[in-house]
Amino acid sequence: MMDKASYERLEKDMAKVKDDISDLAEQITDALNTIAGSARKQARSGYNQARANVDQVVGDISERGNAMLNAAQDAASSVEETLEDVIAERPLATVGLALGLGFLIGVTWRR
């Protein structure tokens, strides 16, 4: 059987073990919070980087689209000017060409 001194020593040891476990749990919680904070920072940094990359790509696509639109408008203007010049220089040939194309389209459409 256990005497009173042994029992008190056992209670002290048990209290110390409980305190050690409590301290350990606190240290684990702090470590997990630090890891979570670091993960949040990395995720936020990754998100910001991805967003910046998307914004840059969208900007590049927008610039290229505008450049292509401007080139198409310039080409259309050039074709229009060329057609106006041809019509002004050879009006009878232009009318004959238009009649011939209309006839071909009509014949093709009937079949």
Side-chain angles (χ1 to χ4, degrees), residues 24-40:
L24 182 59
E26 199 172 300
Q27 289 174 359
I28 290 172
T29 301
D30 289 345
L32 290 175
N33 286 337
T34 300
I35 290 170
S38 177
R40 274 193 299 269

Side-chain angles (χ1 to χ4, degrees), residues 7 37 45 47-48 53 78 83 87 90 92 94-95 101 105 108:
Y7 183 75
S45 174
Y47 169 77
N48 289 339
N53 289 344
S78 177
L83 286 175
I87 291 170
R90 300 181 189 164
L92 290 177
T94 304
V95 170
L101 285 174
I105 292 171
T108 305

Side-chain angles (χ1 to χ4, degrees), residues 1-3 5 17 25 39 45 53 58 61 69 76 83 93 96 98 106:
M1 187 143 175
M2 225 187 242
D3 65 346
V17 168
S45 174
N53 289 344
V58 168
I61 289 172
L69 180 61
L83 286 175

Side-chain angles (χ1 to χ4, degrees), residues 2-3 7 31 41 44 57 60 64 67 74 82 90 98 104:
M2 225 187 242
D3 65 346
Y7 183 75
K41 286 179 185 176
R44 191 176 305 123
V57 168
D60 289 348
R64 289 179 185 169
D74 290 346
T82 302
R90 300 181 189 164
L104 287 174

Side-chain angles (χ1 to χ4, degrees), residues 63-82:
E63 287 177 17
R64 289 179 185 169
N66 285 337
M68 292 172 72
L69 180 61
N70 289 339
Q73 288 174 340
D74 290 346
S77 294
S78 177
V79 168
E80 182 180 349
E81 290 172 5
T82 302

